[in-house]
Amino acid sequence: MGETVLEALRAMRPPFALYEADLHALVGECLRARGLACAHEARIGKGCRIDYLVGDVGVEIKKGKPVKAQLMRQLARYAACEEIGMLIVISWKTVALPESIAGKPVRLLSLAKLWGVSLP
């Protein structure tokens, strides 16, 4: 399932978006256009709500360049949830992430790379 979700998201060519909510809408549209059932703002554990859950793949969306320490704490909470088998982070800019957290694969999709242009 993880590779299917990654393939769908890599095909996304979103326009420059001013708000994170716009990115949420675009990701949802992209997933549904590929026939992937997804839950937005899915509750995956006590106090844990991920932006999208597609099967056992959690998708977290960050506008701008996330603060690595905060993101790592958030991803560790998500990875501890049984519902999660893989995590995908979508961010405007690249941030170095480990290949896995708690034994669960982690992948980063940089929107700047999908756009293929230099952003402000």
Side-chain angles (χ1 to χ4, degrees):
M1 173 65 77
E3 289 304 317
T4 302
V5 175
L6 275 170
E7 181 182 313
L9 294 172
R10 284 184 182 130
M12 183 174 55
R13 295 294 181 267
F16 182 79
L18 295 178
Y19 302 103
E20 189 169 310
D22 297 330
L23 296 175
H24 281 242
L26 289 167
V27 167
E29 290 170 16
C30 177
L31 293 169
R32 287 186 291 275
R34 291 289 187 107
L36 298 171
C38 58
H40 186 235
E41 297 292 340
R43 184 175 300 277
I44 56 173
K46 186 174 182 175
C48 286
R49 189 180 306 240
I50 195 156
D51 293 331
Y52 279 95
L53 186 61
V54 188
D56 70 344
V57 179
V59 179
E60 183 63 21
I61 301 164
K62 297 293 182 190
K63 186 173 185 271
K65 183 174 182 175
V67 176
K68 184 177 179 177
Q70 291 174 342
L71 179 58
M72 288 299 297
R73 285 191 298 272
Q74 185 178 24
L75 294 177
R77 284 193 313 272
Y78 293 162
C81 297
E82 290 183 25
E83 292 86 349
I84 297 295
M86 177 181 191
L87 290 164
I88 298 172
V89 177
I90 298 174
S91 174
W92 281 20
K93 297 190 179 182
T94 300
V95 61
L97 296 174
E99 289 187 23
S100 67
I101 297 174
K104 298 178 182 180
V106 176
R107 301 293 179 264
L108 174 74
L109 288 179
S110 166
L111 291 177
K113 289 182 180 179
L114 292 179
W115 277 313
V117 297
S118 185
L119 298 175

